[in-house]
Amino acid sequence: EIVLTQSPGTLSLSPGERATLSCRASQSVSSNYLAWYQQKPGQAPRLLIYGASSRATGIPDRFSGSGSGTDFTLTISRLEPEDFAVYYCQQYGSSPPWTFGQGTKVEIK
Amino acid sequence: QITLKESGPTLVKPTQTLTLTCSFSGFSLSTSGVGVGWIRQPPGKALEWLVLIYWDDDKRYSPSLKSRLTITKDTSKNQVVLTMTNMDPVDTATYYCAHKLLGVRAFDYWGQGTLVTVSS
């Protein structure tokens, strides 16, 4: 089973600042099948990034994903008020289980 | 427009079997490449992927829960049914169903989720 470790656990930033979230896998993620989701309280997760770097439909270009192998990054170039939420990475490579990270909370400083 | 909605009991007793239904619209589970999965989230905790079924009836299970899970589809009703046996209080969670295409696309459309509490 691939374990995903997200860091930091909590990121305290102000609107307009840049956010950099990390997701490290215990072994290489096949075909870079790595996704990022945003979740706000009481809501279902929302897909932001798939295939490590492709933005999902309707996602603003301030969200970008990068990385390969075992190290992946989600960058939010300039935080908007609606971006304060919890972010999860997920790997969905060839063999189940398709695991999630434990999440990074982006909170207002 | 793709939508999904979960339904089922909100409270089950320990050792009972949970049955949840995912009703969807905007796509067909008879279309090549289409899949529907289940993901759960205990209160205040992280997401956990459980199972997925594809258009061709290929099923992928979480190894740790495989013995307790069954997933089926009814393409005529646009529904996917999840059963989980021998429920325990640690299974208390919000259960989501979600749409996924075969390959690089991740879970791109999600239901609102349904909270299931396991308690005597």
Side-chain angles (χ1 to χ4, degrees):
Chain A
E1 172 176 328
I2 296 178
V3 176
L4 299 179
T5 301
Q6 292 187 239
S7 61
T10 302
L11 198 50
S12 298
L13 295 168
S14 301
E17 290 193 294
R18 182 185 187 89
T20 303
L21 287 67
S22 173
C23 177
R24 179 162 291 180
S26 60
Q27 54 188 282
S28 185
V29 176
S30 63
S31 304
N32 288 336
Y33 280 13
L34 192 287
W36 290 93
Y37 301 86
Q38 176 194 69
Q39 188 178 34
K40 297 179 181 179
Q43 296 185 17
R46 172 193 180 198
L47 177 65
L48 300 175
I49 301 288
Y50 65 91
S53 60
S54 298
R55 267 188 302 276
T57 304
I59 301 303
D61 61 7
R62 64 180 181 273
F63 292 93
S64 64
S66 63
S68 64
T70 60
D71 288 296
F72 299 88
T73 300
L74 174 70
T75 302
I76 311 171
S77 59
R78 294 173 311 279
L79 282 165
E80 297 288 340
E82 62 267 28
D83 299 337
F84 292 91
V86 179
Y87 293 83
Y88 293 97
C89 58
Q90 182 206 13
Q91 66 81 22
Y92 51 103
S94 57
S95 299
W98 294 339
T99 47
F100 288 88
Q102 82 279 17
T104 289
K105 182 180 182 180
V106 178
E107 65 176 20
I108 300 176
K109 186 174 182 180
Chain B
Q1 179 192 3
I2 290 177
T3 64
L4 304 97
K5 187 173 184 179
E6 307 84 355
S7 60
T10 57
L11 179 66
V12 297
K13 291 181 167 48
T15 75
Q16 286 187 335
T17 294
L18 171 69
T19 300
L20 294 175
T21 300
C22 176
S23 302
F24 55 84
S25 63
F27 67 95
S28 172
L29 248 183
S30 59
T31 300
S32 179
V34 175
V36 172
W38 288 91
I39 302 99
R40 70 179 179 180
Q41 184 174 38
K45 295 189 177 182
L47 300 161
E48 179 185 18
W49 172 76
L50 303 179
V51 63
L52 179 135
I53 188 167
Y54 281 117
W55 83 103
D56 60 356
D57 215 38
D58 181 22
K59 300 165 187 175
R60 307 293 176 94
Y61 290 94
S62 172
S64 64
L65 291 167
K66 185 174 182 178
S67 64
R68 299 174 54 205
L69 297 176
T70 302
I71 189 170
T72 59
K73 61 181 174 67
D74 186 330
T75 53
S76 64
K77 292 183 178 180
N78 281 348
Q79 290 181 336
V80 170
V81 176
L82 173 72
T83 60
M84 180 180 289
T85 61
N86 194 24
M87 293 292 285
D88 183 272
V90 301
D91 297 313
T92 294
T94 296
Y95 287 76
Y96 297 99
C97 62
H99 169 275
K100 185 188 181 305
L101 296 176
L102 184 68
V104 72
R105 297 298 183 103
F107 290 104
D108 50 4
Y109 296 92
W110 293 61
Q112 63 190 25
T114 185
L115 176 61
V116 177
T117 301
V118 184
S119 175
S120 56

